[in-house]
Structure formats: structure tokens, C-alpha cells
Amino acid sequence: MNVQRTQKALQLSRFLYDHAKTILFVYVVLNNSRKAQRHVRARGLLTTFRELYIWLANRVIGLALRFPAARQKVETEMEKARIEIEGKLVPQGADVVRHLSLPPAGQGIEWILKEMDTMDGYIKSPNYKLGKLSGAVYHGGDDMEKIIVTAYQRYCVSNPLHPDVFPAVRKMEAEIVAMCLRMYNHPTGAGTMTSGGTESIIMSVKTHRDWARAVKGITEPEIVLPASAHAAFDKGAQYLGIKVHTIPVDPHTRKADMKRIKRAINSNTIMLVGSAVNFPDGNQDDIVALAELARKYKTGLHVDCCLGSFVMPFLEAAGLSNGENGKYKLEPFDFRVPGVTAISCDTHKYGFAPKGTSVIMYRDSALRQYQYYVNPSWTGGVYASPSLSGSRPGALIAGTWAVMQYMGHQGYLDSCKEIVTCARTIANDIAATIPELQILGSPPGPVVAFSSRSEDLNILEVGDIMSKRGWHLNALSQPAALHIACTRLTVNAVDTFLADLKDSVKEAKAAPSGKGTMVTLYGLGNSSAVGPEMVGRVATMFIDTLYKA
Ligand SMILES: *Cc1c(COP(=O)(O)O)cnc(C)c1O
């Protein structure tokens, strides 16, 4: 008996050995075809083919660029772009003093301030106080500056990595998180501060990845997000090795197609994403529907309120949540929706706190633990930190805490009313008086985006003309559009904005030039297979330029 059994085992192992290659091959094919199947299911056949086409086209372009003539042409164009970018960002000329090594002896404060004056003078920059910027500076009042600087100075050297040395900073951070959790109607939740919206989002992606690995055994994580979600999700997914399914939004409502979101969910999905409100056009996703899917498939759901920050939670109390004539209506978006597992909220946007601060919140502290990094056996001692950074600026936490105390509930309520009323004035006026333009979706908050209705009007050209009048609007693609994120500073400039916009539309229609910075930079983007490749190169060069001393 025993001999027979041994022989059988031997035969089996010989069979496996002989066919190992085939078995491995079949496994690889099955595994990859399962991946391919999921991919096609999530994106649809058409998109998959388009992706394939773009991939192929890029290969072909890559090959074509190896020919000297073609390469020469591209290099010439790139060189032109480089000179233009450098001219805009880096002060030119022999009289520009460049500080490329340490001064032999230290300088005094008078010299330092004088040199800063000189540097401010090198390149003409817009005066943000005129209110002609979309977003960027959210409060801009002198009173706020004083609060921030005073708090910053007091806690200048502090670092929450050493809570025993700086106990007040620890307390302030915990209280900032607690106040935000209450604003988002979930006082029993948990969270941490981070250096900004991008870090909040990347931490949430990591948290959900590690949670899904521990609880669901997912080793090839995927996330599903609407095309209107912030690029920080893609950035985080790229850093962390996670696959992203980007689902198109409806051209009219600007909300994600829920059927396609559902189709993209599979057993590897770790989280879904919705925004309240999204950056491109200021609309909010259907968080209730997303949450239902998240509960059904036991995935996470991150609601991105980085931009909505301290506006969305105050819309109801401001009496603005029911909209006007069926427009601008606010839908549920916070932790009161069961299924929402995380919310990011930027204190440094409509919270008016100093730049470099944001809050990431979770449904409970058990989920938050997946964000932590803990190394019990490091040579330097037990090491544990809550987020990406090790040392962190306690001064920014103090600045944020001070601003929140200074504003209070009433202050944020008033600013919500002011800012959202400004956005609605803009949207209503465009809809009523500029027939060439249309508002994208029905934005409930502070951001309004508009595109062109007609073939003879290039909206990006309108953006270029607005730039000449001192306006800094954001240019969007798919569809080409412009947006303005209203701030405390825009409120006083709304009449000028509307008058300038009307004139710019007329001008662009009367004499279309087909040129201009926005047109060349954003117009190229997605219209051809070459577009993204070239725009990518120019963008890389742009970053290089930032480091030219
Ligand atoms: C600004 C923004 C972010 C990213 O925030 P940063 O602070 O710039 O890193 C994320 N989501 C939305 C919707 C935003 O508007």
C-alpha cells in the first residue's frame, strides 16, 4: 500500500514537473485575462479601444520622433516654450543678483528685507487684494494676517512630534480636528491634521488600502472615481501602486454616471470617491447613491470637501441649501450619510487658515489607525507618526486654531453667505445675459464654471482676454471651460468681473485669433494623440524652471 502511494505521489510530482511551464502559462493567461476582463468591464469597450489607440499612437509618435528631422522640430518647439516659460518666471538680465552660495558672513535684518523688496520688484505680479484671482487667497484681510502672524510667532519653534515639549500645540491640533468633526456632524469620529488637501487625500488612500488588505485581504487594490475628482487621488494612487478607474461625468449635471461606477466595482475595489464640491466645475456628486454602493460592496467612500471646506457645512444654516428655482440645491454630503468613511477638509481654503494645513477625518478611530506609521524596532528608538511628515510645523497648527477661534461659527456663516451669494450672482447673471455661455451643472457652493455654447466662440480665448484685464481664471478641459472660485476678495469685484466677461466674449467673437497662452496650453491637451505627450513634456519643463536660481 505504502509503496503504491509513494509511487503515485512520485508520478504526480513528475507530471507537475514536466508540465510546470504549461501550468504557469495557463495561470498567467487566466490571471491576466481576468484583469483584462475587469478593466474592460469598468471602462467599457469604447474607452478601452480609445486607450489602446492613444497608447499605440504614442508609440508611433515615439518612433517617429527618433527621426532626426522630427526630433529637430520638436526640440525647436520645446526650446521656444522653455524660453517663454523662463521669461515669465525667472528674472532675466545682468543686474539680477543671484544668491547661489551662502554669504561669507551673515546678513542683518535690514539687508534681508531690502533684498526681499528687490526680489518682489523683479517680476510684475498681480495684486491679489484687487480680487481678480480665482481661489488662491481665500481671506486676504489685514486682520486675519495679524492673527496668523501673532500665533505663528508665539509657536514659531514648536513641533508636534514632541508633544511633551509642546503640549499646547498637541491640544490645539486635537481641538481643530474635533471642531471639524462637529462641523461635519460626526463628533465621535476621528482624524488628524495634514499639510494640505493633497496629503489628506493621499493619507486616506493609504488608510483604505491598508484597511482593505487587513480586513478583506485585497492585494491588488483599485479605486473608482468620477472624472471630476481632484488629481490628488491619481497622484496618491500612483505613489501607492493602486489602479484607478476614472468614470466620465454627465455633460449636463456634471455628476458621475452611477451605472458605470457600479460596473467598475469589483472584489479589488478599496474605495469610491465623491466630491462636495469638485474643483473643476464646483458641482457635488450624488453622495447618497455612492454611499449605497459603498455599503453594498463593503468599500470605503471618501468625500472630498477640500474645497467645500468651511462653506458646505454652513449652507444649510445660511438658508442657501434649497437653492433658487430648482437650481443650486445642496444634497447630503457629510457623515450623516451612512457609508461615508472619510472626509477631507482644507482649513487653508475657506477656513482661512495659513497655507499648509488641512484635516482628514474618518468614521472611527479604528479606521484612522491604518493611517499611522509605527516602527517598534527602529535603531533610533520606537518611532510612530500619524501622517506623511515626521517633524511638523506647530506654528501652522497654532495659526489655524487662532483663525478658527477668531472667525467662530458666526464668522464662517457670514462669509459663507457672502461668498456663495457672489457665486450665484455670477451664475445667474451669465445665464440671463450672456447667451453665448452656459454654466456647467448647478453648483451649490463657491465655484462657478462656464463653457461656450457656440462653435464661433473659443472659451479659452475669452480666458486670454480676461487675463489681459488682470483676471486669473482657471482653464478646464473636457469640455474647455473657465472657472472662478469666489473668495472674500471676489465679493467686491463681482460687478467688474461680469462687465469684463461680457466685453471679453464680444471681443473674442468679433476677432478670434486662435492664439494665446490658454489656447496653446490647454487647447492642445486632449484634442489629439500628440497633445497629452507634448503637454506633459512642457509641464515637466515648467517644474524644472521653478528650480532655476
Ligand atoms: C484644492 C483641492 C484639493 C487639494 O488640495 P491642496 O491643498 O492643493 O493639496 C483637493 N480637492 C479639491 C476639490 C480641491 O479643490
mmCIF file of all heavy atoms in Angstrom, residues 194-214:
data_model
loop_
_atom_site.group_PDB
_atom_site.id
_atom_site.type_symbol
_atom_site.label_atom_id
_atom_site.label_comp_id
_atom_site.label_asym_id
_atom_site.label_seq_id
_atom_site.Cartn_x
_atom_site.Cartn_y
_atom_site.Cartn_z
ATOM 1 N N THR A 194 -3.057 67.534 8.420
ATOM 2 C CA THR A 194 -2.008 67.246 7.434
ATOM 3 C C THR A 194 -1.517 68.569 6.866
ATOM 4 O O THR A 194 -1.992 69.630 7.254
ATOM 5 C CB THR A 194 -2.529 66.383 6.270
ATOM 6 O OG1 THR A 194 -3.455 67.182 5.518
ATOM 7 C CG2 THR A 194 -3.194 65.108 6.734
ATOM 8 N N SER A 195 -0.618 68.468 5.888
ATOM 9 C CA SER A 195 -0.018 69.675 5.323
ATOM 10 C C SER A 195 -0.861 70.297 4.209
ATOM 11 O O SER A 195 -0.490 71.318 3.651
ATOM 12 C CB SER A 195 1.355 69.333 4.760
ATOM 13 O OG SER A 195 1.189 68.405 3.698
ATOM 14 N N GLY A 196 -1.991 69.676 3.863
ATOM 15 C CA GLY A 196 -2.821 70.230 2.795
ATOM 16 C C GLY A 196 -3.759 69.177 2.233
ATOM 17 O O GLY A 196 -3.695 68.001 2.623
ATOM 18 N N GLY A 197 -4.601 69.606 1.307
ATOM 19 C CA GLY A 197 -5.592 68.695 0.743
ATOM 20 C C GLY A 197 -4.964 67.471 0.113
ATOM 21 O O GLY A 197 -5.450 66.350 0.267
ATOM 22 N N THR A 198 -3.861 67.679 -0.601
ATOM 23 C CA THR A 198 -3.223 66.552 -1.277
ATOM 24 C C THR A 198 -2.760 65.511 -0.260
ATOM 25 O O THR A 198 -3.003 64.309 -0.448
ATOM 26 C CB THR A 198 -2.036 67.059 -2.116
ATOM 27 O OG1 THR A 198 -2.538 67.987 -3.080
ATOM 28 C CG2 THR A 198 -1.331 65.916 -2.823
ATOM 29 N N GLU A 199 -2.140 65.953 0.824
ATOM 30 C CA GLU A 199 -1.699 64.969 1.821
ATOM 31 C C GLU A 199 -2.900 64.290 2.487
ATOM 32 O O GLU A 199 -2.876 63.081 2.732
ATOM 33 C CB GLU A 199 -0.791 65.596 2.887
ATOM 34 C CG GLU A 199 -0.110 64.517 3.746
ATOM 35 C CD GLU A 199 0.639 65.048 4.965
ATOM 36 O OE1 GLU A 199 0.929 66.251 5.025
ATOM 37 O OE2 GLU A 199 0.925 64.247 5.860
ATOM 38 N N SER A 200 -3.958 65.054 2.757
ATOM 39 C CA SER A 200 -5.157 64.440 3.350
ATOM 40 C C SER A 200 -5.667 63.315 2.456
ATOM 41 O O SER A 200 -6.027 62.231 2.928
ATOM 42 C CB SER A 200 -6.260 65.489 3.531
ATOM 43 O OG SER A 200 -5.962 66.350 4.596
ATOM 44 N N ILE A 201 -5.695 63.585 1.153
ATOM 45 C CA ILE A 201 -6.219 62.594 0.205
ATOM 46 C C ILE A 201 -5.275 61.396 0.096
ATOM 47 O O ILE A 201 -5.707 60.240 0.140
ATOM 48 C CB ILE A 201 -6.469 63.262 -1.161
ATOM 49 C CG1 ILE A 201 -7.717 64.153 -1.061
ATOM 50 C CG2 ILE A 201 -6.630 62.216 -2.261
ATOM 51 C CD1 ILE A 201 -7.944 65.074 -2.228
ATOM 52 N N ILE A 202 -3.975 61.657 -0.001
ATOM 53 C CA ILE A 202 -3.026 60.543 -0.111
ATOM 54 C C ILE A 202 -3.098 59.676 1.153
ATOM 55 O O ILE A 202 -3.073 58.447 1.079
ATOM 56 C CB ILE A 202 -1.590 61.061 -0.351
ATOM 57 C CG1 ILE A 202 -1.520 61.742 -1.721
ATOM 58 C CG2 ILE A 202 -0.575 59.914 -0.280
ATOM 59 C CD1 ILE A 202 -0.183 62.386 -2.040
ATOM 60 N N MET A 203 -3.226 60.305 2.322
ATOM 61 C CA MET A 203 -3.320 59.530 3.563
ATOM 62 C C MET A 203 -4.582 58.668 3.561
ATOM 63 O O MET A 203 -4.570 57.526 3.999
ATOM 64 C CB MET A 203 -3.329 60.455 4.796
ATOM 65 C CG MET A 203 -2.016 61.143 5.141
ATOM 66 S SD MET A 203 -0.481 60.318 4.734
ATOM 67 C CE MET A 203 -0.575 58.809 5.613
ATOM 68 N N SER A 204 -5.684 59.224 3.062
ATOM 69 C CA SER A 204 -6.930 58.462 3.028
ATOM 70 C C SER A 204 -6.820 57.269 2.082
ATOM 71 O O SER A 204 -7.308 56.171 2.384
ATOM 72 C CB SER A 204 -8.081 59.375 2.605
ATOM 73 O OG SER A 204 -9.263 58.643 2.427
ATOM 74 N N VAL A 205 -6.137 57.462 0.951
ATOM 75 C CA VAL A 205 -5.940 56.361 0.004
ATOM 76 C C VAL A 205 -5.115 55.258 0.684
ATOM 77 O O VAL A 205 -5.452 54.078 0.625
ATOM 78 C CB VAL A 205 -5.248 56.855 -1.286
ATOM 79 C CG1 VAL A 205 -4.851 55.683 -2.179
ATOM 80 C CG2 VAL A 205 -6.164 57.805 -2.055
ATOM 81 N N LYS A 206 -4.064 55.651 1.388
ATOM 82 C CA LYS A 206 -3.234 54.673 2.101
ATOM 83 C C LYS A 206 -4.030 53.968 3.207
ATOM 84 O O LYS A 206 -3.954 52.746 3.366
ATOM 85 C CB LYS A 206 -2.015 55.365 2.720
ATOM 86 C CG LYS A 206 -1.141 54.437 3.570
ATOM 87 C CD LYS A 206 -0.670 55.178 4.821
ATOM 88 C CE LYS A 206 -0.087 54.419 5.959
ATOM 89 N NZ LYS A 206 -0.410 53.080 6.275
ATOM 90 N N THR A 207 -4.792 54.750 3.950
ATOM 91 C CA THR A 207 -5.600 54.174 5.031
ATOM 92 C C THR A 207 -6.554 53.112 4.492
ATOM 93 O O THR A 207 -6.635 51.999 5.037
ATOM 94 C CB THR A 207 -6.401 55.293 5.731
ATOM 95 O OG1 THR A 207 -5.479 56.235 6.265
ATOM 96 C CG2 THR A 207 -7.280 54.743 6.831
ATOM 97 N N HIS A 208 -7.253 53.453 3.405
ATOM 98 C CA HIS A 208 -8.208 52.488 2.850
ATOM 99 C C HIS A 208 -7.493 51.282 2.238
ATOM 100 O O HIS A 208 -7.991 50.161 2.294
ATOM 101 C CB HIS A 208 -9.123 53.174 1.829
ATOM 102 C CG HIS A 208 -10.164 54.038 2.461
ATOM 103 N ND1 HIS A 208 -9.990 55.382 2.690
ATOM 104 C CD2 HIS A 208 -11.387 53.736 2.964
ATOM 105 C CE1 HIS A 208 -11.063 55.875 3.286
ATOM 106 N NE2 HIS A 208 -11.927 54.895 3.462
ATOM 107 N N ARG A 209 -6.318 51.511 1.680
ATOM 108 C CA ARG A 209 -5.543 50.391 1.127
ATOM 109 C C ARG A 209 -5.160 49.405 2.233
ATOM 110 O O ARG A 209 -5.355 48.195 2.107
ATOM 111 C CB ARG A 209 -4.275 50.913 0.450
ATOM 112 C CG ARG A 209 -3.441 49.820 -0.202
ATOM 113 C CD ARG A 209 -2.046 50.282 -0.529
ATOM 114 N NE ARG A 209 -1.262 50.528 0.687
ATOM 115 C CZ ARG A 209 0.022 50.839 0.703
ATOM 116 N NH1 ARG A 209 0.666 50.974 -0.434
ATOM 117 N NH2 ARG A 209 0.655 51.033 1.827
ATOM 118 N N ASP A 210 -4.624 49.947 3.323
ATOM 119 C CA ASP A 210 -4.162 49.070 4.408
ATOM 120 C C ASP A 210 -5.332 48.410 5.142
ATOM 121 O O ASP A 210 -5.254 47.272 5.579
ATOM 122 C CB ASP A 210 -3.266 49.853 5.379
ATOM 123 C CG ASP A 210 -1.940 50.216 4.717
ATOM 124 O OD1 ASP A 210 -1.742 49.850 3.540
ATOM 125 O OD2 ASP A 210 -1.108 50.883 5.370
ATOM 126 N N TRP A 211 -6.433 49.161 5.249
ATOM 127 C CA TRP A 211 -7.650 48.595 5.839
ATOM 128 C C TRP A 211 -8.144 47.425 4.984
ATOM 129 O O TRP A 211 -8.446 46.348 5.490
ATOM 130 C CB TRP A 211 -8.730 49.679 5.928
ATOM 131 C CG TRP A 211 -10.117 49.147 6.101
ATOM 132 C CD1 TRP A 211 -10.685 48.698 7.263
ATOM 133 C CD2 TRP A 211 -11.105 48.971 5.069
ATOM 134 N NE1 TRP A 211 -11.967 48.256 7.019
ATOM 135 C CE2 TRP A 211 -12.249 48.416 5.691
ATOM 136 C CE3 TRP A 211 -11.134 49.231 3.694
ATOM 137 C CZ2 TRP A 211 -13.407 48.115 4.973
ATOM 138 C CZ3 TRP A 211 -12.285 48.932 2.991
ATOM 139 C CH2 TRP A 211 -13.412 48.378 3.618
ATOM 140 N N ALA A 212 -8.182 47.638 3.669
ATOM 141 C CA ALA A 212 -8.704 46.599 2.776
ATOM 142 C C ALA A 212 -7.794 45.369 2.774
ATOM 143 O O ALA A 212 -8.261 44.240 2.661
ATOM 144 C CB ALA A 212 -8.861 47.141 1.361
ATOM 145 N N ARG A 213 -6.484 45.598 2.911
ATOM 146 C CA ARG A 213 -5.563 44.461 2.961
ATOM 147 C C ARG A 213 -5.795 43.658 4.234
ATOM 148 O O ARG A 213 -5.869 42.439 4.209
ATOM 149 C CB ARG A 213 -4.110 44.965 2.902
ATOM 150 C CG ARG A 213 -3.092 43.830 2.790
ATOM 151 C CD ARG A 213 -1.812 44.273 2.117
ATOM 152 N NE ARG A 213 -1.312 45.535 2.662
ATOM 153 C CZ ARG A 213 -0.389 46.286 2.062
ATOM 154 N NH1 ARG A 213 0.131 45.906 0.920
ATOM 155 N NH2 ARG A 213 0.011 47.411 2.601
ATOM 156 N N ALA A 214 -5.952 44.365 5.353
ATOM 157 C CA ALA A 214 -6.113 43.679 6.643
ATOM 158 C C ALA A 214 -7.473 43.008 6.771
ATOM 159 O O ALA A 214 -7.574 41.883 7.228
ATOM 160 C CB ALA A 214 -5.905 44.677 7.779
#
